[in-house]
Amino acid sequence: MLTTNRTNAAAANRMSDESIYNIIPEVYVPPPKEPVYRSHHPGAIACIKKPAATMGIPHTEIDPKYFLKKGCAMIATMKESGSVGLTRRDASHAKPPVPRRDEKPVMGLVSQKNFITANAVDNILAVPKKPISKDVNYLKKQDYGKVPGYLNRVKDQIQSEYQMIEEMQRSNHEVPQDSVDILTDDERERLLQGLKANWEAVNREYQTLSFTLDTPAKKKRKEDYEAQLEQIENDIKKLSKRYVFLAQR
């Protein structure tokens, strides 16, 4: 039992760095190396190499004897001669060159022309330009002053409708001429006075109604008064004309 405890204590001490057992380093034993992998089919698969698989197809003729030197970059390529810059750009649109240092401008050129007088004469003799007006001149239209065609069509339609209505009235209300009387002015005035008195009486009753129409009877009474007032007003409007005709039955 004592031997087992000592063995456990020794193992626990080895786990710690500060241990007496760590003073003497242990001998390092290298692990055994695994054998190198060897293919079972050596030389069976041929190595396939494509030309220019990484850098692309060469565009120039490569010769180790003639390497690229200074100023030799303008060599024609195998595919396109202008790919390396052999074609020159169009210099027709280029600006004029800068004057050289030894070039001198022409001096002493004096013009005898009076530009102020010349400009004044040109402006006086010039023909003034007519302003271009974008406004539409309706006076010069082809149909100016004429009745539009659609108005004539509308007038014809209205006239035809009037004729049709008159024909219907004649057919439905054919009254002989002898059975029609004309109200005299006195009779018409008496009827107007009576209608106005009736309107005042009905209106007086209408004004006495309450504002709240909480019952059906009040609503019915209000509607009756309004219908009577409207009928009396229509009769007054008819009798207000100068001539009132009465058909005798």
Side-chain angles (χ1 to χ4, degrees):
M1 183 67 180
L2 182 61
T3 306
T4 306
N5 293 336
R6 289 179 179 178
T7 304
N8 295 335
N13 291 332
R14 291 192 189 96
M15 296 297 294
S16 176
D17 294 337
E18 297 180 0
S19 177
I20 192 173
Y21 294 101
N22 295 334
I23 296 176
I24 301 174
E26 297 181 357
V27 180
Y28 175 73
V29 179
K33 294 184 177 181
E34 296 181 359
V36 180
Y37 174 77
R38 301 290 181 182
S39 176
H40 298 285
H41 309 282
I45 301 175
C47 182
I48 302 174
K49 292 184 179 181
K50 297 181 180 180
T54 304
M55 303 300 295
I57 301 175
H59 292 270
T60 57
E61 297 179 359
I62 302 173
D63 192 350
K65 295 182 180 179
Y66 302 98
F67 55 89
L68 186 63
K69 298 179 181 180
K70 182 179 179 180
C72 298
M74 306 297 291
I75 302 175
T77 59
M78 297 172 60
K79 285 190 174 182
E80 186 178 355
S81 61
S83 60
V84 293
L86 288 179
T87 57
R88 296 181 179 180
R89 60 182 179 180
D90 188 9
S92 60
H93 302 288
K95 296 181 179 180
V98 180
R100 299 180 62 183
R101 183 174 56 181
D102 54 353
E103 294 181 358
K104 295 182 180 180
V106 180
M107 308 294 290
L109 293 178
V110 179
S111 176
Q112 300 297 329
K113 181 179 179 180
N114 190 350
F115 290 96
I116 298 176
T117 305
N119 290 338
V121 172
D122 292 341
N123 291 328
I124 292 170
L125 299 178
V127 179
K129 296 181 180 180
K130 294 182 180 181
I132 301 173
S133 178
K134 295 183 180 180
D135 298 335
V136 180
N137 189 0
Y138 294 98
L139 300 178
K140 295 183 179 180
K141 294 182 68 175
Q142 297 180 357
D143 55 351
Y144 176 74
K146 299 180 181 179
V147 180
Y150 74 93
L151 287 180
N152 295 328
R153 293 194 299 270
V154 171
K155 287 181 180 179
D156 295 339
Q157 292 177 1
I158 294 174
Q159 191 65 27
S160 61
E161 290 177 0
Y162 281 155
Q163 292 178 359
M164 182 177 65
I165 292 171
E166 290 177 358
E167 291 177 358
M168 291 174 64
Q169 291 178 353
R170 291 196 196 97
S171 61
N172 296 333
H173 303 282
E174 290 185 357
V175 180
Q177 189 70 21
D178 298 337
S179 62
V180 177
D181 292 337
I182 299 177
L183 283 179
T184 61
D185 294 339
D186 297 336
E187 294 176 349
R188 189 167 57 83
E189 288 296 333
R190 286 198 301 269
L191 290 175
L192 284 174
Q193 293 298 329
L195 289 174
K196 290 179 181 179
N198 293 338
W199 187 88
E200 290 292 341
V202 176
N203 188 34
R204 192 180 305 109
E205 296 292 336
Y206 180 74
Q207 296 297 331
T208 58
L209 293 175
S210 61
F211 292 100
T212 57
L213 304 176
D214 50 356
T215 59
K218 292 182 180 180
K219 295 180 181 179
K220 182 67 169 59
R221 192 179 303 112
K222 179 178 179 296
E223 293 175 357
D224 293 341
Y225 284 148
E226 290 177 350
Q228 292 178 17
L229 290 174
E230 185 178 359
Q231 181 64 34
I232 294 172
E233 290 174 357
N234 293 333
D235 296 339
I236 291 173
K237 188 182 297 183
K238 292 179 180 179
L239 290 174
S240 298
K241 298 179 181 180
R242 186 173 181 181
Y243 299 104
V244 179
F245 298 93
L246 293 177
Q248 295 182 359
R249 297 183 179 178

